[in-house]
């Protein structure tokens, strides 16, 4: 976000977390935690017809992006950082139903990733078994005197991924 000394003018709604104590110019409620500037005057979210939106703090980019996609009405929430002399994004205001849908999509993604990890782990385990079988057969071919169960044992140890024991065990 570019440094801005005045509230950034942008398409889409902008909600400000005031640094100073501010009251709504319309209903005089305050101090306000969040406000909208309308013609330079602060309005509370209710008077700005944004009271039904829920605040989603910044941090989870996927959830934020999807919440914005799923909300017909949304606003970016900023707060002035005095030290840096600029407004900084604090999060977004989105529709509760939109946030719920976005959370479902993120959960579905996490579930899909979990299933993929399990499939990958199963496939690797199968590869390990196939490798151990082939390796066992090769040990028996090279060392005909080696008992079958001993060859299987060696191959099993050697084919555990990342064991670093292939050379030593085979030797
Ligand atoms: Zn008000």
């Amino acid at each position: 976000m570019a440094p801005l000394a005045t509230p950034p003018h942008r398409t889409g709604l902008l909600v400000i977390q005031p640094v100073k104590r501010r009251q709504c110019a319309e209903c005089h409620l305050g101090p306000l935690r969040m406000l909208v500037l309308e013609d330079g005057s602060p309005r509370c979210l209710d008077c700005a017809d944004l009271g039904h939106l829920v605040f989603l703090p910044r941090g989870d980019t996927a959830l934020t992006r999807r919440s914005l996609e799923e909300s017909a009405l949304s606003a970016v929430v900023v707060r002035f950082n005095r030290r840096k002399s600029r407004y900084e994004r604090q999060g977004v205001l989105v529709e509760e139903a939109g946030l719920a849908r976005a959370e479902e999509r993120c959960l579905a993604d996490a579930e899909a990733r979990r299933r993929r990890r399990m499939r990958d782990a199963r496939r690797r385990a199968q590869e390990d078994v196939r490798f151990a079988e082939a390796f066992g057969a090769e040990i028996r071919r090279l060392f005909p005197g080696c008992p079958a169960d001993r060859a299987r044992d060696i191959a099993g140890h050697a084919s555990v991924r990342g064991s670093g024991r292939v050379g030593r065990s085979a030797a």
Side-chain angles (χ1 to χ4, degrees), residues 31-93:
L32 301 173
R33 283 176 47 240
M34 295 190 210
L35 60 85
V36 178
L37 280 179
E38 286 177 2
D39 303 324
S41 302
R43 296 272 190 290
C44 72
L45 295 186
D46 285 328
C47 289
D49 293 327
L50 301 176
H52 62 296
L53 299 182
V54 292
F55 180 60
L56 174 64
R58 63 195 287 269
D60 189 330
T61 50
L63 184 60
T64 296
R65 179 170 47 76
R66 287 173 169 174
S67 295
L68 292 172
E69 286 169 8
E70 297 284 353
S71 292
L73 184 65
S74 64
V76 171
V77 180
V78 297
R79 184 181 174 86
F80 190 70
N81 182 323
R82 291 191 221 215
R83 196 165 48 77
K84 295 179 180 169
S85 300
R86 69 179 185 203
Y87 278 87
E88 289 180 335
R89 191 172 167 140
Q90 304 299 311
V92 291
L93 286 171

Side-chain angles (χ1 to χ4, degrees), residues 130-152:
R130 278 197 293 273
F131 177 75
E133 284 166 359
F135 193 28
E138 184 62 11
I139 289 170
R140 284 194 301 280
R141 190 182 69 79
L142 292 170
F143 308 102
C146 184
D149 57 345
R150 177 76 183 124
R152 218 173 16 248

